[in-house]
Amino acid sequence: PLIKDVMVPVATIKVGFSVYEAAKKIIEDRFNHLPVVDEDKRLVGIVTSWDVSKALALSKDGDLAPIMTRNVITVSPEDPVDLAVRLLEKHNISALPVIDKDRKVLGIVTGEGLSKLISRGL
Ligand code: SAM
């Protein structure tokens, strides 16, 4: 299967929002991973519940931009699923935003989602 067969929609947050707003969105939308986008909806970073916890532990409850990961590992819809598996393993992460040529966020592939796929025998 290809990434487009297994990706799911994901909520994003605009850069300029706060750590607090990211925390609220993660809880409301029940996602662990929140891709961060600019005004043109292009991917500029990612924050996870781990990043938000770390920011609060260090008393950095301000802008999202300084705490987000800027070097985001991504896949495209036409990539094979086994590339996603390799990237998750190699970088010790649990999700990959799926982006198009303009870096617009199309969805997300998570380790959890891939486990479900494998358990169904794909
Ligand atoms: N295993 C946990 C996980 O997968 O979230 C924690 C370890 S992981 C190295 C935590 C860091 O990875 C966070 O700072 C997060 O922003 C970053 N991260 C998560 N997904 C990412 C991705 N697709 N590309 C780059 N960094 C990512």
Side-chain angles (χ1 to χ4, degrees):
L2 300 178
I3 294 295
K4 64 181 176 191
D5 304 318
V6 300
M7 66 189 216
V8 295
V10 69
T12 59
I13 191 166
K14 258 193 214 153
V15 67
F17 276 63
S18 66
V19 173
Y20 173 72
E21 283 159 325
K24 253 177 44 178
K25 211 167 175 55
I26 285 172
I27 296 302
E28 278 164 12
D29 296 331
R30 295 168 186 273
F31 273 109
N32 250 324
H33 303 79
L34 204 49
V36 185
V37 296
D38 67 12
E39 289 298 324
D40 300 319
K41 299 196 168 140
R42 294 200 170 95
L43 183 72
V44 291
I46 190 166
V47 287
T48 64
S49 36
W50 188 84
D51 296 309
V52 170
S53 302
K54 186 180 170 193
L56 293 180
L58 299 174
S59 304
K60 283 190 188 159
D61 185 18
D63 289 350
L64 202 51
I67 71 135
M68 71 186 188
T69 302
R70 288 171 190 273
N71 188 13
V72 189
I73 316 293
T74 59
V75 284
S76 79
E78 303 299 330
D79 284 333
V81 164
D82 57 293
L83 173 67
V85 175
R86 284 202 305 267
L87 288 173
L88 291 175
E89 171 75 22
K90 183 174 171 208
H91 297 278
N92 184 31
I93 48 180
S94 50
L96 301 160
V98 184
I99 58 169
D100 67 13
K101 288 188 196 74
D102 296 326
R103 290 194 71 76
K104 299 236 166 94
V105 180
L106 303 172
I108 197 159
V109 175
T110 65
E112 207 180 325
L114 292 174
S115 305
K116 276 186 198 151
L117 202 72
I118 291 165
S119 75
R120 279 194 250 121
L122 267 174

